[in-house]
Amino acid sequence: MLSSPRCGAKTRRGTQCQAPAVSGKSRCRMHGGAAGSGAPAGNRNALKHGRFTKEAIDKRKWARLLYKQLVEQLKDY
């Protein structure tokens, strides 16, 4: 165990991680050596809520225009 290769990740202290690396990898299980670790493939962050899609922006513009027209009609009433 003591002679096994060590993880190459840098800790918050700035030193090298002292945990043993996962076999066949250069990182320990906590720093990305475990199976399934890491970010998912592709950038899915842009699809989080859809607030800034063209359709959503157009709907908000339409709602503002409708609101302005309503306020103008109420002023005349």
mmCIF file of all heavy atoms in Angstrom, residues 26-67:
data_model
loop_
_atom_site.group_PDB
_atom_site.id
_atom_site.type_symbol
_atom_site.label_atom_id
_atom_site.label_comp_id
_atom_site.label_asym_id
_atom_site.label_seq_id
_atom_site.Cartn_x
_atom_site.Cartn_y
_atom_site.Cartn_z
ATOM 1 N N SER A 26 -4.330 7.947 -12.726
ATOM 2 C CA SER A 26 -3.371 8.774 -12.002
ATOM 3 C C SER A 26 -4.012 9.567 -10.873
ATOM 4 O O SER A 26 -3.349 10.371 -10.233
ATOM 5 C CB SER A 26 -2.677 9.737 -12.973
ATOM 6 O OG SER A 26 -3.634 10.601 -13.543
ATOM 7 N N ARG A 27 -5.311 9.335 -10.621
ATOM 8 C CA ARG A 27 -6.021 10.059 -9.560
ATOM 9 C C ARG A 27 -6.639 9.073 -8.585
ATOM 10 O O ARG A 27 -6.972 7.937 -8.932
ATOM 11 C CB ARG A 27 -7.133 10.937 -10.142
ATOM 12 C CG ARG A 27 -6.630 12.016 -11.081
ATOM 13 C CD ARG A 27 -5.978 13.132 -10.292
ATOM 14 N NE ARG A 27 -5.597 14.233 -11.163
ATOM 15 C CZ ARG A 27 -4.357 14.599 -11.393
ATOM 16 N NH1 ARG A 27 -3.362 13.947 -10.837
ATOM 17 N NH2 ARG A 27 -4.093 15.609 -12.169
ATOM 18 N N CYS A 28 -6.875 9.538 -7.366
ATOM 19 C CA CYS A 28 -7.539 8.705 -6.366
ATOM 20 C C CYS A 28 -9.045 8.723 -6.623
ATOM 21 O O CYS A 28 -9.538 9.455 -7.478
ATOM 22 C CB CYS A 28 -7.230 9.216 -4.962
ATOM 23 S SG CYS A 28 -7.958 10.823 -4.575
ATOM 24 N N ARG A 29 -9.793 7.957 -5.856
ATOM 25 C CA ARG A 29 -11.235 7.861 -6.070
ATOM 26 C C ARG A 29 -11.943 9.165 -5.775
ATOM 27 O O ARG A 29 -13.003 9.437 -6.304
ATOM 28 C CB ARG A 29 -11.815 6.737 -5.219
ATOM 29 C CG ARG A 29 -11.640 6.947 -3.737
ATOM 30 C CD ARG A 29 -12.106 5.729 -2.938
ATOM 31 N NE ARG A 29 -11.825 5.903 -1.540
ATOM 32 C CZ ARG A 29 -12.611 6.559 -0.688
ATOM 33 N NH1 ARG A 29 -13.731 7.082 -1.121
ATOM 34 N NH2 ARG A 29 -12.276 6.689 0.571
ATOM 35 N N MET A 30 -11.348 10.010 -4.949
ATOM 36 C CA MET A 30 -11.990 11.284 -4.601
ATOM 37 C C MET A 30 -11.692 12.389 -5.613
ATOM 38 O O MET A 30 -12.383 13.393 -5.657
ATOM 39 C CB MET A 30 -11.547 11.725 -3.207
ATOM 40 C CG MET A 30 -12.061 10.781 -2.140
ATOM 41 S SD MET A 30 -11.207 10.944 -0.583
ATOM 42 C CE MET A 30 -9.649 10.168 -0.907
ATOM 43 N N HIS A 31 -10.650 12.206 -6.418
ATOM 44 C CA HIS A 31 -10.267 13.241 -7.373
ATOM 45 C C HIS A 31 -10.479 12.825 -8.818
ATOM 46 O O HIS A 31 -9.826 13.344 -9.720
ATOM 47 C CB HIS A 31 -8.805 13.636 -7.155
ATOM 48 C CG HIS A 31 -8.592 14.405 -5.903
ATOM 49 N ND1 HIS A 31 -7.804 13.952 -4.872
ATOM 50 C CD2 HIS A 31 -9.092 15.597 -5.501
ATOM 51 C CE1 HIS A 31 -7.816 14.832 -3.899
ATOM 52 N NE2 HIS A 31 -8.585 15.840 -4.245
ATOM 53 N N GLY A 32 -11.366 11.885 -9.065
ATOM 54 C CA GLY A 32 -11.728 11.575 -10.443
ATOM 55 C C GLY A 32 -11.239 10.258 -10.970
ATOM 56 O O GLY A 32 -11.367 9.995 -12.155
ATOM 57 N N GLY A 33 -10.694 9.396 -10.139
ATOM 58 C CA GLY A 33 -10.226 8.106 -10.622
ATOM 59 C C GLY A 33 -11.294 7.043 -10.624
ATOM 60 O O GLY A 33 -11.162 6.029 -11.286
ATOM 61 N N ALA A 34 -12.377 7.265 -9.887
ATOM 62 C CA ALA A 34 -13.435 6.265 -9.784
ATOM 63 C C ALA A 34 -14.249 6.202 -11.070
ATOM 64 O O ALA A 34 -14.372 7.188 -11.793
ATOM 65 C CB ALA A 34 -14.350 6.597 -8.609
ATOM 66 N N ALA A 35 -14.822 5.054 -11.323
ATOM 67 C CA ALA A 35 -15.663 4.878 -12.506
ATOM 68 C C ALA A 35 -16.910 5.744 -12.381
ATOM 69 O O ALA A 35 -17.535 5.801 -11.323
ATOM 70 C CB ALA A 35 -16.071 3.422 -12.644
ATOM 71 N N GLY A 36 -17.259 6.439 -13.441
ATOM 72 C CA GLY A 36 -18.449 7.287 -13.435
ATOM 73 C C GLY A 36 -18.232 8.660 -12.845
ATOM 74 O O GLY A 36 -19.162 9.446 -12.758
ATOM 75 N N SER A 37 -17.020 8.972 -12.427
ATOM 76 C CA SER A 37 -16.781 10.294 -11.860
ATOM 77 C C SER A 37 -16.525 11.310 -12.961
ATOM 78 O O SER A 37 -16.203 10.957 -14.088
ATOM 79 C CB SER A 37 -15.593 10.264 -10.906
ATOM 80 O OG SER A 37 -14.422 9.928 -11.612
ATOM 81 N N GLY A 38 -16.717 12.553 -12.650
ATOM 82 C CA GLY A 38 -16.520 13.621 -13.624
ATOM 83 C C GLY A 38 -17.838 14.144 -14.159
ATOM 84 O O GLY A 38 -18.907 13.618 -13.850
ATOM 85 N N ALA A 39 -17.752 15.163 -14.950
ATOM 86 C CA ALA A 39 -18.944 15.803 -15.506
ATOM 87 C C ALA A 39 -19.552 14.941 -16.609
ATOM 88 O O ALA A 39 -18.847 14.197 -17.285
ATOM 89 C CB ALA A 39 -18.575 17.170 -16.069
ATOM 90 N N PRO A 40 -20.865 15.041 -16.819
ATOM 91 C CA PRO A 40 -21.477 14.298 -17.910
ATOM 92 C C PRO A 40 -21.035 14.846 -19.269
ATOM 93 O O PRO A 40 -20.646 16.018 -19.375
ATOM 94 C CB PRO A 40 -22.979 14.508 -17.702
ATOM 95 C CG PRO A 40 -23.101 15.704 -16.854
ATOM 96 C CD PRO A 40 -21.845 15.787 -16.033
ATOM 97 N N ALA A 41 -21.093 14.027 -20.277
ATOM 98 C CA ALA A 41 -20.663 14.435 -21.617
ATOM 99 C C ALA A 41 -21.601 15.485 -22.180
ATOM 100 O O ALA A 41 -22.828 15.399 -22.019
ATOM 101 C CB ALA A 41 -20.628 13.221 -22.538
ATOM 102 N N GLY A 42 -21.050 16.483 -22.819
ATOM 103 C CA GLY A 42 -21.846 17.544 -23.426
ATOM 104 C C GLY A 42 -22.194 18.638 -22.440
ATOM 105 O O GLY A 42 -22.187 18.438 -21.237
ATOM 106 N N ASN A 43 -22.472 19.814 -22.944
ATOM 107 C CA ASN A 43 -22.842 20.935 -22.088
ATOM 108 C C ASN A 43 -24.349 20.987 -21.961
ATOM 109 O O ASN A 43 -25.040 21.490 -22.829
ATOM 110 C CB ASN A 43 -22.306 22.248 -22.672
ATOM 111 C CG ASN A 43 -22.644 23.437 -21.824
ATOM 112 O OD1 ASN A 43 -23.168 23.289 -20.720
ATOM 113 N ND2 ASN A 43 -22.345 24.616 -22.315
ATOM 114 N N ARG A 44 -24.874 20.492 -20.866
ATOM 115 C CA ARG A 44 -26.312 20.485 -20.638
ATOM 116 C C ARG A 44 -26.745 21.689 -19.804
ATOM 117 O O ARG A 44 -27.922 21.849 -19.511
ATOM 118 C CB ARG A 44 -26.732 19.198 -19.924
ATOM 119 C CG ARG A 44 -26.282 17.918 -20.610
ATOM 120 C CD ARG A 44 -26.940 17.689 -21.928
ATOM 121 N NE ARG A 44 -28.369 17.470 -21.736
ATOM 122 C CZ ARG A 44 -29.221 17.292 -22.697
ATOM 123 N NH1 ARG A 44 -28.814 17.286 -23.934
ATOM 124 N NH2 ARG A 44 -30.489 17.139 -22.449
ATOM 125 N N ASN A 45 -25.796 22.520 -19.380
ATOM 126 C CA ASN A 45 -26.118 23.662 -18.534
ATOM 127 C C ASN A 45 -27.008 24.672 -19.247
ATOM 128 O O ASN A 45 -27.825 25.328 -18.620
ATOM 129 C CB ASN A 45 -24.847 24.368 -18.064
ATOM 130 C CG ASN A 45 -24.042 23.501 -17.131
ATOM 131 O OD1 ASN A 45 -24.596 22.638 -16.464
ATOM 132 N ND2 ASN A 45 -22.754 23.708 -17.097
ATOM 133 N N ALA A 46 -26.857 24.791 -20.547
ATOM 134 C CA ALA A 46 -27.630 25.771 -21.302
ATOM 135 C C ALA A 46 -29.110 25.394 -21.366
ATOM 136 O O ALA A 46 -29.947 26.246 -21.633
ATOM 137 C CB ALA A 46 -27.064 25.899 -22.711
ATOM 138 N N LEU A 47 -29.432 24.146 -21.084
ATOM 139 C CA LEU A 47 -30.808 23.683 -21.188
ATOM 140 C C LEU A 47 -31.508 23.655 -19.827
ATOM 141 O O LEU A 47 -32.508 22.987 -19.657
ATOM 142 C CB LEU A 47 -30.833 22.280 -21.794
ATOM 143 C CG LEU A 47 -30.180 22.152 -23.155
ATOM 144 C CD1 LEU A 47 -30.192 20.711 -23.616
ATOM 145 C CD2 LEU A 47 -30.887 23.036 -24.175
ATOM 146 N N LYS A 48 -30.985 24.407 -18.877
ATOM 147 C CA LYS A 48 -31.487 24.306 -17.519
ATOM 148 C C LYS A 48 -32.908 24.823 -17.366
ATOM 149 O O LYS A 48 -33.753 24.167 -16.788
ATOM 150 C CB LYS A 48 -30.560 25.068 -16.580
ATOM 151 C CG LYS A 48 -30.738 24.710 -15.150
ATOM 152 C CD LYS A 48 -29.633 25.317 -14.337
ATOM 153 C CE LYS A 48 -29.394 24.531 -13.085
ATOM 154 N NZ LYS A 48 -28.262 24.993 -12.352
ATOM 155 N N HIS A 49 -33.201 25.991 -17.862
ATOM 156 C CA HIS A 49 -34.536 26.537 -17.635
ATOM 157 C C HIS A 49 -35.190 27.107 -18.887
ATOM 158 O O HIS A 49 -36.396 27.222 -18.940
ATOM 159 C CB HIS A 49 -34.504 27.612 -16.557
ATOM 160 C CG HIS A 49 -33.432 28.628 -16.760
ATOM 161 N ND1 HIS A 49 -33.425 29.516 -17.795
ATOM 162 C CD2 HIS A 49 -32.316 28.875 -16.052
ATOM 163 C CE1 HIS A 49 -32.353 30.273 -17.719
ATOM 164 N NE2 HIS A 49 -31.661 29.908 -16.675
ATOM 165 N N GLY A 50 -34.455 27.476 -19.886
ATOM 166 C CA GLY A 50 -35.035 27.962 -21.127
ATOM 167 C C GLY A 50 -35.500 29.400 -21.095
ATOM 168 O O GLY A 50 -36.230 29.836 -21.981
ATOM 169 N N ARG A 51 -35.103 30.170 -20.093
ATOM 170 C CA ARG A 51 -35.573 31.547 -19.970
ATOM 171 C C ARG A 51 -35.084 32.432 -21.115
ATOM 172 O O ARG A 51 -35.753 33.386 -21.493
ATOM 173 C CB ARG A 51 -35.101 32.125 -18.639
ATOM 174 C CG ARG A 51 -35.586 33.522 -18.415
ATOM 175 C CD ARG A 51 -35.237 34.027 -17.058
ATOM 176 N NE ARG A 51 -35.746 35.372 -16.881
ATOM 177 C CZ ARG A 51 -35.527 36.099 -15.827
ATOM 178 N NH1 ARG A 51 -34.813 35.625 -14.841
ATOM 179 N NH2 ARG A 51 -36.004 37.305 -15.747
ATOM 180 N N PHE A 52 -33.940 32.137 -21.658
ATOM 181 C CA PHE A 52 -33.360 33.011 -22.671
ATOM 182 C C PHE A 52 -33.425 32.418 -24.068
ATOM 183 O O PHE A 52 -32.660 32.813 -24.945
ATOM 184 C CB PHE A 52 -31.921 33.353 -22.284
ATOM 185 C CG PHE A 52 -31.847 34.076 -20.973
ATOM 186 C CD1 PHE A 52 -31.426 33.431 -19.834
ATOM 187 C CD2 PHE A 52 -32.261 35.385 -20.871
ATOM 188 C CE1 PHE A 52 -31.386 34.083 -18.618
ATOM 189 C CE2 PHE A 52 -32.228 36.051 -19.661
ATOM 190 C CZ PHE A 52 -31.784 35.399 -18.532
ATOM 191 N N THR A 53 -34.339 31.504 -24.300
ATOM 192 C CA THR A 53 -34.531 31.002 -25.657
ATOM 193 C C THR A 53 -35.249 32.077 -26.469
ATOM 194 O O THR A 53 -35.889 32.976 -25.915
ATOM 195 C CB THR A 53 -35.384 29.724 -25.665
ATOM 196 O OG1 THR A 53 -36.662 30.028 -25.118
ATOM 197 C CG2 THR A 53 -34.733 28.613 -24.874
ATOM 198 N N LYS A 54 -35.151 32.004 -27.787
ATOM 199 C CA LYS A 54 -35.785 32.999 -28.641
ATOM 200 C C LYS A 54 -37.293 33.028 -28.404
ATOM 201 O O LYS A 54 -37.892 34.096 -28.354
ATOM 202 C CB LYS A 54 -35.473 32.703 -30.107
ATOM 203 C CG LYS A 54 -36.034 33.738 -31.064
ATOM 204 C CD LYS A 54 -35.393 33.618 -32.412
ATOM 205 C CE LYS A 54 -35.945 34.558 -33.438
ATOM 206 N NZ LYS A 54 -36.181 35.913 -33.028
ATOM 207 N N GLU A 55 -37.893 31.878 -28.239
ATOM 208 C CA GLU A 55 -39.340 31.816 -28.010
ATOM 209 C C GLU A 55 -39.732 32.532 -26.717
ATOM 210 O O GLU A 55 -40.711 33.283 -26.688
ATOM 211 C CB GLU A 55 -39.798 30.365 -27.938
ATOM 212 C CG GLU A 55 -39.687 29.623 -29.246
ATOM 213 C CD GLU A 55 -39.983 28.146 -29.074
ATOM 214 O OE1 GLU A 55 -40.576 27.769 -28.040
ATOM 215 O OE2 GLU A 55 -39.630 27.380 -29.970
ATOM 216 N N ALA A 56 -38.987 32.293 -25.657
ATOM 217 C CA ALA A 56 -39.306 32.913 -24.371
ATOM 218 C C ALA A 56 -39.137 34.425 -24.432
ATOM 219 O O ALA A 56 -39.960 35.180 -23.891
ATOM 220 C CB ALA A 56 -38.429 32.322 -23.276
ATOM 221 N N ILE A 57 -38.098 34.894 -25.100
ATOM 222 C CA ILE A 57 -37.863 36.335 -25.235
ATOM 223 C C ILE A 57 -38.990 36.970 -26.036
ATOM 224 O O ILE A 57 -39.512 38.037 -25.684
ATOM 225 C CB ILE A 57 -36.483 36.594 -25.879
ATOM 226 C CG1 ILE A 57 -35.370 36.162 -24.926
ATOM 227 C CG2 ILE A 57 -36.325 38.056 -26.263
ATOM 228 C CD1 ILE A 57 -33.992 36.151 -25.541
ATOM 229 N N ASP A 58 -39.398 36.308 -27.134
ATOM 230 C CA ASP A 58 -40.495 36.828 -27.957
ATOM 231 C C ASP A 58 -41.812 36.880 -27.173
ATOM 232 O O ASP A 58 -42.579 37.835 -27.297
ATOM 233 C CB ASP A 58 -40.673 35.973 -29.217
ATOM 234 C CG ASP A 58 -39.540 36.168 -30.209
ATOM 235 O OD1 ASP A 58 -38.817 37.185 -30.095
ATOM 236 O OD2 ASP A 58 -39.378 35.305 -31.094
ATOM 237 N N LYS A 59 -42.065 35.874 -26.342
ATOM 238 C CA LYS A 59 -43.283 35.873 -25.529
ATOM 239 C C LYS A 59 -43.278 37.030 -24.537
ATOM 240 O O LYS A 59 -44.306 37.686 -24.320
ATOM 241 C CB LYS A 59 -43.421 34.554 -24.768
ATOM 242 C CG LYS A 59 -43.907 33.419 -25.612
ATOM 243 C CD LYS A 59 -44.069 32.160 -24.786
ATOM 244 C CE LYS A 59 -44.493 31.000 -25.649
ATOM 245 N NZ LYS A 59 -44.633 29.761 -24.883
ATOM 246 N N ARG A 60 -42.136 37.312 -23.935
ATOM 247 C CA ARG A 60 -42.057 38.432 -22.978
ATOM 248 C C ARG A 60 -42.229 39.771 -23.684
ATOM 249 O O ARG A 60 -42.896 40.674 -23.159
ATOM 250 C CB ARG A 60 -40.731 38.389 -22.219
ATOM 251 C CG ARG A 60 -40.679 37.293 -21.173
ATOM 252 C CD ARG A 60 -39.527 37.466 -20.225
ATOM 253 N NE ARG A 60 -38.229 37.454 -20.875
ATOM 254 C CZ ARG A 60 -37.507 36.368 -21.088
ATOM 255 N NH1 ARG A 60 -37.960 35.187 -20.718
ATOM 256 N NH2 ARG A 60 -36.329 36.444 -21.666
ATOM 257 N N LYS A 61 -41.665 39.902 -24.889
ATOM 258 C CA LYS A 61 -41.850 41.135 -25.657
ATOM 259 C C LYS A 61 -43.320 41.339 -26.001
ATOM 260 O O LYS A 61 -43.861 42.437 -25.887
ATOM 261 C CB LYS A 61 -41.027 41.097 -26.953
ATOM 262 C CG LYS A 61 -39.562 41.359 -26.765
ATOM 263 C CD LYS A 61 -38.842 41.324 -28.108
ATOM 264 C CE LYS A 61 -37.363 41.493 -27.947
ATOM 265 N NZ LYS A 61 -36.655 41.425 -29.224
ATOM 266 N N TRP A 62 -43.976 40.260 -26.418
ATOM 267 C CA TRP A 62 -45.393 40.319 -26.761
ATOM 268 C C TRP A 62 -46.234 40.696 -25.541
ATOM 269 O O TRP A 62 -47.137 41.518 -25.630
ATOM 270 C CB TRP A 62 -45.836 38.964 -27.318
ATOM 271 C CG TRP A 62 -47.289 38.907 -27.634
ATOM 272 C CD1 TRP A 62 -47.905 39.425 -28.741
ATOM 273 C CD2 TRP A 62 -48.316 38.329 -26.845
ATOM 274 N NE1 TRP A 62 -49.258 39.189 -28.682
ATOM 275 C CE2 TRP A 62 -49.533 38.511 -27.521
ATOM 276 C CE3 TRP A 62 -48.325 37.663 -25.629
ATOM 277 C CZ2 TRP A 62 -50.733 38.052 -27.017
ATOM 278 C CZ3 TRP A 62 -49.528 37.200 -25.131
ATOM 279 C CH2 TRP A 62 -50.718 37.410 -25.818
ATOM 280 N N ALA A 63 -45.904 40.128 -24.385
ATOM 281 C CA ALA A 63 -46.647 40.432 -23.154
ATOM 282 C C ALA A 63 -46.455 41.897 -22.757
ATOM 283 O O ALA A 63 -47.407 42.564 -22.322
ATOM 284 C CB ALA A 63 -46.192 39.511 -22.033
ATOM 285 N N ARG A 64 -45.241 42.426 -22.909
ATOM 286 C CA ARG A 64 -45.006 43.851 -22.596
ATOM 287 C C ARG A 64 -45.791 44.759 -23.524
ATOM 288 O O ARG A 64 -46.375 45.758 -23.098
ATOM 289 C CB ARG A 64 -43.511 44.171 -22.673
ATOM 290 C CG ARG A 64 -42.742 43.768 -21.446
ATOM 291 C CD ARG A 64 -41.359 44.373 -21.424
ATOM 292 N NE ARG A 64 -40.543 43.996 -22.571
ATOM 293 C CZ ARG A 64 -39.750 42.939 -22.598
ATOM 294 N NH1 ARG A 64 -39.693 42.132 -21.562
ATOM 295 N NH2 ARG A 64 -39.031 42.660 -23.657
ATOM 296 N N LEU A 65 -45.806 44.420 -24.811
ATOM 297 C CA LEU A 65 -46.554 45.205 -25.779
ATOM 298 C C LEU A 65 -48.051 45.175 -25.457
ATOM 299 O O LEU A 65 -48.722 46.212 -25.472
ATOM 300 C CB LEU A 65 -46.307 44.673 -27.194
ATOM 301 C CG LEU A 65 -47.055 45.368 -28.331
ATOM 302 C CD1 LEU A 65 -46.601 46.813 -28.449
ATOM 303 C CD2 LEU A 65 -46.833 44.639 -29.632
ATOM 304 N N LEU A 66 -48.575 44.017 -25.149
ATOM 305 C CA LEU A 66 -49.973 43.871 -24.783
ATOM 306 C C LEU A 66 -50.306 44.689 -23.528
ATOM 307 O O LEU A 66 -51.328 45.371 -23.461
ATOM 308 C CB LEU A 66 -50.285 42.388 -24.557
ATOM 309 C CG LEU A 66 -51.739 41.992 -24.423
ATOM 310 C CD1 LEU A 66 -52.489 42.303 -25.716
ATOM 311 C CD2 LEU A 66 -51.845 40.522 -24.086
ATOM 312 N N TYR A 67 -49.400 44.655 -22.550
ATOM 313 C CA TYR A 67 -49.597 45.408 -21.320
ATOM 314 C C TYR A 67 -49.614 46.922 -21.605
ATOM 315 O O TYR A 67 -50.451 47.649 -21.076
ATOM 316 C CB TYR A 67 -48.496 45.066 -20.315
ATOM 317 C CG TYR A 67 -48.599 45.829 -19.022
ATOM 318 C CD1 TYR A 67 -49.558 45.498 -18.082
ATOM 319 C CD2 TYR A 67 -47.734 46.877 -18.751
ATOM 320 C CE1 TYR A 67 -49.657 46.197 -16.891
ATOM 321 C CE2 TYR A 67 -47.830 47.589 -17.573
ATOM 322 C CZ TYR A 67 -48.792 47.243 -16.639
ATOM 323 O OH TYR A 67 -48.891 47.944 -15.466
#
